[in-house]
Amino acid sequence: MKNGKKISWKIPALSLVGLLLVVSAKSTILPEPPGGTGTVDDRTENAFQHPFEGVDRDQRREFYVGNSFFRDAWVAAPSSTRGRDGLGPTYNSISCSGCHTLDGRGAAFTAGGKVDLSLLFRLSQLGADGKFAPLPAYGDQFNPIAIDGVEPEGDVSVDFSYVKGTYPDGTGYELRVPKFTFSNLRFGPFGSNTRVSPRVAPHLAGLGLLEAVREADVLALVDEKDANGDGISGRANYVFDRTLKQMRLGRFGWKSNQPSLRQQDAGAFVGDMGITSSVFPDQNCPAPQEKCKASPSGGVGSEHELSDQILARVTTYTQLLAVPNRRISDPEKVAAGEAKFIEVGCAKCHNPSFVTGDHEIPLLSKQKIFPYTDLLLHDLGRELADHRPDGLANGREWRTSPLWGVGLFPTVNRHSNLMHDGRARSIEEAVLWHGGEAEVVKHAFMKLNKGEREALLEFVRSL
């Protein structure tokens, strides 16, 4: 879509990864649309907000109704606005868009260096039995805000230290290390056995397409024992599907800890805004939080604050958010960067493409897509470890983040902060933070000359 007009794709036959091929100085073959036939053409701050191209009238209506419940503020109960009351009692944000601004990525930190509301903190406690559980006084997510009459759980601040390094060619770099401090904790201090995992709100483009990727195609990329000896051993996370009442492949979240967008959305409603649903019917009001437990519930026509109908519309909204087209200003540089991306080994985890399987929304089915993720867990090393398991994911593992749209974060969200906690201030810094399985790949990147490194980064910015 460009300026509200539909665009048509004429797709030539391309290589396996479907990337840019330079034919001559005056002629190029354009890359295939990254989000399939539903790809939209928008380079503005609205790039992540469009519905999948080709949706029918009914789907478009459901999309925009879902968008209204995603975008607009929720309020505390009781309220005359019964369709969207039930906020809190404790929470992180008053709306989904409060963290996913313009359906983009959270900043993690404000311009003044404070913790932004888009950065939440998962909590766990290691018990004497060696198992992890939510904190008895705070639950499994830290909520620093509360409705009137209820005590917020506390405050969190951030300080930064900086680590300098040098490439083999003598070029210097600097990495930023965040250190989080919790204060004014209303229900007692965290114990020494507490594990804290900061996680920033990711951008939302293409989530329905990732949901439509066939499980068998994800599992085909698993190499848990590194049978091919390349140092990469992606693992699948399996988590409990609360609707189907069975274990399923995890796809969403920083550790692939949610199996579907319906469950991901419902989990965000209860965790971030304190809004219950049939999927997550219980408030995060641990035993010591008496005022939290005594607060009234919201909603209308349901025992839950978020009705199944509204949840379905929000789910449709997140499923149908389209992927923006790539932006290529220097074809030869991008083509060279693609070659280096593959050569150093980035594509071993950031798998370029899938063909989607069947989905309940037919438009999302049988689409060739280029998300640059394998949806698997990888050990990224000690420096990035949160020491907090999540499903089958251990404290050093993270899901491979999709790269489509990454070059638009500065335009849409006015920042370039990357990684699970926003520590990286650029794509280059994000690469340099990779350790564990990616250590060899990182060092291969570092050994490139400056021009080759910049070409690789330009390729990623074009995605």
Side-chain angles (χ1 to χ4, degrees), residues 307-353:
S307 70
D308 284 345
Q309 182 182 41
I310 293 175
L311 176 57
R313 285 170 165 168
V314 173
T315 301
T316 296
Y317 174 70
T318 55
Q319 288 172 328
L320 285 175
L321 282 166
V323 178
N325 195 20
R326 289 179 60 186
R327 303 143 312 282
I328 301 173
S329 57
D330 188 335
E332 292 188 43
K333 186 175 184 179
V334 168
E338 172 207 342
K340 293 301 177 183
F341 183 90
I342 296 170
E343 177 185 311
V344 302
C346 300
K348 292 178 180 179
C349 296
H350 291 282
N351 179 59
S353 67

Side-chain angles (χ1 to χ4, degrees), residues 1 7 9 30-35 39-43 47 322-328 405 408 461-463:
M1 180 176 292
I7 56 175
W9 295 101
L30 293 176
E32 295 185 61
T39 301
V40 295
D41 193 10
D42 188 343
R43 302 184 180 196
V323 178
N325 195 20
R326 289 179 60 186
R327 303 143 312 282
I328 301 173
L408 283 165
R461 285 191 288 268
S462 80
L463 296 177

Side-chain angles (χ1 to χ4, degrees), residues 197-269:
S197 180
R199 302 185 186 184
V200 72
H203 76 302
L204 305 178
L207 294 183
L209 292 166
L210 295 180
E211 188 173 56
V213 171
R214 289 177 289 234
E215 180 174 330
D217 291 341
V218 176
L219 297 182
L221 300 174
V222 170
D223 187 16
E224 192 163 347
K225 296 182 179 180
D226 191 20
N228 62 6
D230 65 355
I232 306 300
S233 52
R235 297 201 309 130
N237 199 359
Y238 280 89
V239 293
F240 187 68
D241 187 309
R242 288 169 167 258
T243 300
L244 299 180
K245 309 298 182 187
Q246 63 185 40
M247 301 297 288
R248 289 183 61 203
L249 177 71
R251 300 168 184 260
F252 304 106
W254 283 102
K255 288 179 179 279
S256 285
N257 65 333
Q258 295 291 6
S260 68
L261 281 174
R262 183 174 188 266
Q263 188 159 313
Q264 170 71 24
D265 293 343
F269 266 104

Side-chain angles (χ1 to χ4, degrees), residues 135-433:
L135 271 62
Y138 295 96
D140 63 0
Q141 183 167 323
F142 187 70
N143 294 135
I145 313 173
I147 62 174
D148 289 345
V150 176
E151 296 175 290
E153 294 182 337
D155 302 311
V156 60
S157 59
V158 62
D159 291 306
F160 299 102
S161 59
Y162 298 88
V163 177
K164 294 185 181 295
T166 306
Y167 286 100
D169 66 7
T171 304
Y173 64 84
E174 179 186 78
L175 300 180
R176 178 177 66 173
V177 185
K179 179 182 179 181
F180 301 101
T181 301
F182 292 83
S183 59
N184 301 320
L185 294 172
R186 304 308 200 279
F187 305 99
F190 294 166
S192 59
N193 57 352
T194 297
R195 302 290 186 270
V196 178
S197 180
R199 302 185 186 184
V200 72
H203 76 302
L204 305 178
L207 294 183
L209 292 166
L210 295 180
E211 188 173 56
V213 171
R214 289 177 289 234
E215 180 174 330
D217 291 341
V218 176
L219 297 182
L221 300 174
V222 170
D223 187 16
E224 192 163 347
K225 296 182 179 180
D226 191 20
N228 62 6
D230 65 355
I232 306 300
S233 52
R235 297 201 309 130
N237 199 359
Y238 280 89
V239 293
F240 187 68
D241 187 309
R242 288 169 167 258
T243 300
L244 299 180
K245 309 298 182 187
Q246 63 185 40
M247 301 297 288
R248 289 183 61 203
L249 177 71
R251 300 168 184 260
F252 304 106
W254 283 102
K255 288 179 179 279
S256 285
N257 65 333
Q258 295 291 6
S260 68
L261 281 174
R262 183 174 188 266
Q263 188 159 313
Q264 170 71 24
D265 293 343
F269 266 104
V270 74
D272 302 348
M273 293 182 287
I275 296 171
T276 62
S277 65
S278 61
V279 183
F280 293 97
D282 300 319
Q283 291 283 7
N284 185 25
C285 290
Q289 299 191 28
E290 295 292 343
K291 293 179 180 179
C292 180
K293 292 189 293 182
S295 296
S297 296
V300 59
S302 170
E303 61 181 307
H304 309 298
E305 294 165 329
L306 180 68
S307 70
D308 284 345
Q309 182 182 41
I310 293 175
L311 176 57
R313 285 170 165 168
V314 173
T315 301
T316 296
Y317 174 70
T318 55
Q319 288 172 328
L320 285 175
L321 282 166
V323 178
N325 195 20
R326 289 179 60 186
R327 303 143 312 282
I328 301 173
S329 57
D330 188 335
E332 292 188 43
K333 186 175 184 179
V334 168
E338 172 207 342
K340 293 301 177 183
F341 183 90
I342 296 170
E343 177 185 311
V344 302
C346 300
K348 292 178 180 179
C349 296
H350 291 282
N351 179 59
S353 67
F354 288 102
V355 175
T356 63
D358 294 326
H359 192 273
E360 61 190 28
I361 300 176
L363 277 172
L364 302 179
S365 304
K366 307 299 187 294
Q367 295 283 347
K368 187 173 184 180
I369 62 173
F370 297 85
Y372 289 85
T373 177
D374 57 10
L375 297 176
L376 297 176
L377 301 170
H378 294 276
D379 181 341
L380 290 187
R382 179 176 57 85
E383 297 298 329
L384 294 179
D386 67 354
H387 309 290
R388 180 184 182 274
D390 204 331
L392 299 182
N394 66 40
R396 292 168 55 113
E397 291 178 316
W398 301 93
R399 183 194 71 159
T400 305
S401 293
L403 296 181
W404 54 12
V406 67
L408 283 165
F409 294 163
T411 299
V412 175
N413 297 122
R414 305 294 190 264
H415 71 81
S416 300
N417 296 336
L418 299 171
M419 308 303 288
H420 66 282
D421 57 4
R423 66 176 61 199
R425 295 165 293 182
S426 65
I427 296 170
E428 180 182 9
E429 286 188 23
V431 175
L432 294 173
W433 271 116

